[in-house]
Amino acid sequence: MTTENISAVLKRKGELCLENRPVPEPQPHEVLIAIHTVGICGSDVHYWKNGAIGDFIVRDPMVLGHESSGTIVKVGNQVKHLKPGDRVCIEPGVPCRKCEFCKGGRYNLCPDVKFSATPPVDGSLCRFFCHDADFCFKLPSNVSLEEGALMEPLSVAVHACRRALVTAGKTVLICGAGPIGLVNLLTCKAMGATKICITDIFQSRLEVAKKLGASYQVCVKDIDTKSAVEQIESHLGGPPDITIECSGAEPSIRLAMLATKSGGTVMLVGLGASEVKIPILEASLREVDIKGIFRYANCYPIALGLVSSGAVDVKPLITHRFTLEEALKAFETSYTGEGGAIKVLIQCSK
């Protein structure tokens, strides 16, 4: 095995470079993975551009990337369910497994979770990466390594749709047609939602959503909230049962709360400002349930099942591919949206 482990390292705000780091040795409970594909997430771009997300501040050089797949090349002596040659996708968060949240099954809320590419934990945008074997999932034979890298954002959607109680016959509004909005669209369809309306400020994104099966599309650029609500209700035949907000923008959160049916649910997925002004009295008096999600828990097997069965096709989300040596160009493309970029992938294997 080569000793070269080229890694995309964020040195500091705005400075992304390639380094040759030592190939790590797996601990007894870990596996060593030859990384094949890494998807660029909005959080990766945010760290690159701003050097921080909230309280998570890049103080030391950090390898980026957490939407990953690859092939196992070595296993620790305690690992029994995986072997060299297995193709896997990687769930990037490893919790303590001892706290009340872990024991209760909501391990994503573990205060001691170690999440890849979240300071100070290195990510997986490199040739070789060690990870806890319990959070590596073997890919079915009909699921590609590229699709495997998309199990991370798809798991976000699975978690959101489960918490929002998306079921057959429900009408859904999705605010934001970026990558997370689009995987929520695909997941809502797979879970039986009959009418789905999606909003965005970019018509080009709405065209993609239409191709992926959105029943209706509303461009909310330069229109007021009242007009947007009227358009949404006209399309859906009334207010949506569930709204999944995927942009994090204050006007979009406001729209979500005002548009949702009385007694319905608003699921906050997008991350924006730490504080926003919202019509809380309106939502409260109409008993609109406002929920949030933090990543996912117990969702990777479901996401893999959706793709393997054909219920969800994530391949149309992939718009650009770059090599690891082209990492900076890949990040620039993801940031600018050049060429209609939705999901930008980096191929790490030679």
Side-chain angles (χ1 to χ4, degrees), residues 56 91-99 101-102 106-116 118-121 131 135 294-297:
F56 295 106
E91 180 172 347
V94 180
C96 75
R97 290 175 265 199
K98 297 177 181 179
C99 69
F101 299 108
C102 287
R106 302 181 72 179
Y107 61 83
N108 56 317
L109 302 180
C110 172
D112 295 320
V113 65
K114 291 179 174 59
F115 198 88
S116 298
T118 300
V121 182
H131 198 64
F135 294 88
F294 186 56
R295 297 170 180 155
Y296 33 72

Side-chain angles (χ1 to χ4, degrees), residues 150-161:
L150 293 181
M151 292 306 98
E152 200 277 343
L154 183 57
S155 291
V156 172
V158 169
H159 190 45
C161 290

Side-chain angles (χ1 to χ4, degrees), residues 227-276:
S227 298
V229 170
E230 289 173 351
Q231 288 190 46
I232 292 162
E233 291 188 358
S234 175
H235 287 314
L236 294 176
D241 300 306
I242 297 164
T243 298
I244 303 176
E245 204 297 305
C246 298
S247 75
E250 183 174 310
S252 187
I253 297 171
R254 175 180 173 82
L255 172 62
M257 293 182 180
L258 294 175
T260 305
K261 177 187 291 186
S262 296
T265 299
V266 171
M267 177 57 58
L268 301 177
V269 180
L271 296 178
S274 59
E275 294 186 10
V276 296

